[in-house]
Amino acid sequence: MNFLIVEDDNIQLTGLKHIIEEEYADAVVNTASTYNDAITIIDSFDIDVFLLDIDLGGGKTGLDVCGYLRRIPKYNDTPVIFITDITVPNLDVINKYHCQYYFSKPYDRIDVVGGINSVLTQPDDQTSRIRVKDIQGILFHISMDEIIYVCASGHHKHIFTSDGDFIVTNPTFESILQAAGDVPLVRCHKSYYFNPDYIQSYDRSNSLITLKLAQESIPVGRKYKTIIETYQENR
């Protein structure tokens, strides 16, 4: 099992390497202290688990490293653990890079081993998630039941979720619907689909739906009014 630790603090880098080698007998631990060193290793070896310090110094971050590796098909689903100086990091950023776990400094052996064991034993729940790329080409995953609504914006799709909103480039409405599985997404306009579980109210006079957790109401097209009224009546 190949690990890559990216950490610019040599003491912490050595400590993490020592913990992993003691706890996992089959571990091969690669280390890097800079973005460029990390990229060289990513391009040269097959890595099974990444531990990335977010703040690397020198202008590049662990997020940049993760952005690079997520562009490589073989690393689309490889576990990533972020290490951060922030007690409660920005979870929108963490989720965007499809990070399975994070722990904050200062940490101990239990944090490290718990994080690694967590990402190695996560169930395969990809059937309930859609994999998309944002406009920068970064791949991340969205839980389908967290989608509030989706709208078309030019050549992109804007996906609004309970964890934040994302502008993505690759999915069609059809691919999103196919990935939704048991999560219903209902069309209410030529440019909008919404999750009826989030309906809060329907303004028939102005043909607008208000959805829980959404900052703006979304429009209802003329030919979709009957469908929306049926959903509203059955709530």
Side-chain angles (χ1 to χ4, degrees):
M1 185 162 53
N2 289 329
F3 291 79
L4 173 58
I5 304 170
V6 185
E7 168 63 74
D8 64 339
D9 184 311
N10 189 58
I11 294 176
Q12 296 197 54
L13 181 64
T14 301
L16 283 169
K17 184 175 187 293
H18 181 69
I19 290 171
I20 293 172
E21 288 176 338
E22 279 196 339
E23 294 287 342
Y24 303 94
D26 63 342
V28 176
V29 183
N30 302 275
T31 63
S33 57
T34 69
Y35 173 87
N36 289 336
D37 289 346
I39 299 309
T40 298
I41 294 172
I42 290 169
D43 289 342
S44 303
F45 300 96
D46 291 327
I47 304 299
D48 300 301
V49 180
F50 293 91
L51 290 90
L52 307 178
D53 183 20
I54 291 182
D55 185 9
L56 294 177
K60 291 288 188 178
T61 72
L63 298 176
D64 294 312
V65 175
C66 193
Y68 179 86
L69 69 91
R70 287 302 190 216
R71 294 185 181 96
I72 302 173
K74 70 177 180 178
Y75 292 132
N76 281 351
D77 299 307
T78 303
V80 171
I81 299 172
F82 281 133
I83 307 165
T84 174
D85 292 312
I86 304 171
T87 303
V88 182
N90 186 328
L91 293 181
D92 286 347
V93 173
I94 296 292
N95 290 333
K96 176 176 180 177
Y97 288 93
H98 184 36
C99 163
Q100 286 88 346
Y101 200 92
Y102 75 89
F103 53 81
S104 302
K105 300 176 183 178
Y107 51 82
D108 56 25
R109 180 182 293 264
I110 293 175
D111 296 322
V112 176
V113 175
I116 293 172
N117 288 345
S118 175
V119 301
L120 292 179
T121 58
Q122 282 186 346
D124 183 9
D125 64 348
Q126 297 305 311
T127 55
S128 63
R129 301 170 73 89
I130 183 172
R131 187 166 63 190
V132 293
K133 288 183 179 179
D134 70 4
I135 56 178
Q136 295 179 320
I138 306 300
L139 184 134
F140 59 100
H141 292 68
I142 295 174
S143 295
M144 294 305 302
D145 58 0
E146 294 176 349
I147 292 180
I148 302 171
Y149 70 96
V150 182
C151 71
S153 177
H155 296 294
H156 306 310
K157 296 292 184 297
H158 204 155
I159 302 178
F160 294 82
T161 80
S162 56
D163 279 334
D165 57 277
F166 309 88
I167 299 176
V168 300
T169 58
N170 55 329
T172 61
F173 277 139
E174 289 73 20
S175 66
I176 295 173
L177 291 172
Q178 184 176 11
D182 295 332
V183 179
L185 292 179
V186 177
R187 193 162 207 161
C188 62
H189 185 276
K190 66 178 181 179
S191 300
Y192 287 82
Y193 278 85
F194 75 99
N195 184 341
D197 289 341
Y198 287 89
I199 288 181
Q200 183 169 308
S201 62
Y202 172 48
D203 180 348
R204 298 189 184 191
S205 300
N206 296 302
S207 299
L208 293 172
I209 302 174
T210 300
L211 300 170
K212 301 172 186 175
L213 305 180
Q215 295 183 353
E216 299 179 355
S217 299
I218 63 173
V220 176
R222 184 183 307 170
K223 69 177 183 179
Y224 301 102
K225 286 186 176 182
T226 301
I227 297 174
I228 304 309
E229 289 170 2
T230 300
Y231 269 101
Q232 179 67 5
E233 290 170 359
N234 293 332
R235 287 179 60 231

